[in-house]
Amino acid sequence: MKMVILCLIMSVLAAYGGYLYGKSQVKTQIIEKQVEVIKYVAQKRAKIQARPNAHRDELLELLRNGQL
C-alpha cells in the first residue's frame, strides 16, 4: 500500500514539474514574438520618418485633385 501511494505521489510531482517547465517555455516564446513585433514597428517607423515632408503647395495641389 505504501508503495502505491509513493508511486502516485511521484507521478503527480512529475506531472506538475512538466507543467511548470512547459509554462516557462511558453513565456519565452511570447517574449520573443513581442521583441520581433517591436523591431518590425521600429523599422517601419524609421522608413516613414525618412520620407521627405510634403510642402504646402504640394498638399494643396493633391487636395484640389481629390487625392488627399
Side-chain angles (χ1 to χ4, degrees), residues 27-44:
K27 286 182 182 177
T28 303
Q29 290 176 354
I30 290 172
I31 290 171
E32 287 175 357
K33 286 183 181 180
Q34 288 175 346
V35 168
E36 290 174 5
V37 168
I38 290 171
K39 287 180 182 177
Y40 177 76
V41 169
Q43 288 174 350
K44 289 295 182 180

Side-chain angles (χ1 to χ4, degrees), residues 4 6 8-10 12-13 17 19 23 27-29 31 36 40-41 44 47-48 50 53 55 60 63 65:
V4 173
L6 183 63
L8 185 61
I9 291 172
M10 295 273 288
V12 168
L13 288 175
Y19 168 75
K23 190 176 176 182
K27 286 182 182 177
T28 303
Q29 290 176 354
I31 290 171
E36 290 174 5
Y40 177 76
V41 169
K44 289 295 182 180
K47 190 175 182 180
I48 291 170
N53 293 333
H55 296 288
L60 287 174
L63 184 65
N65 293 337

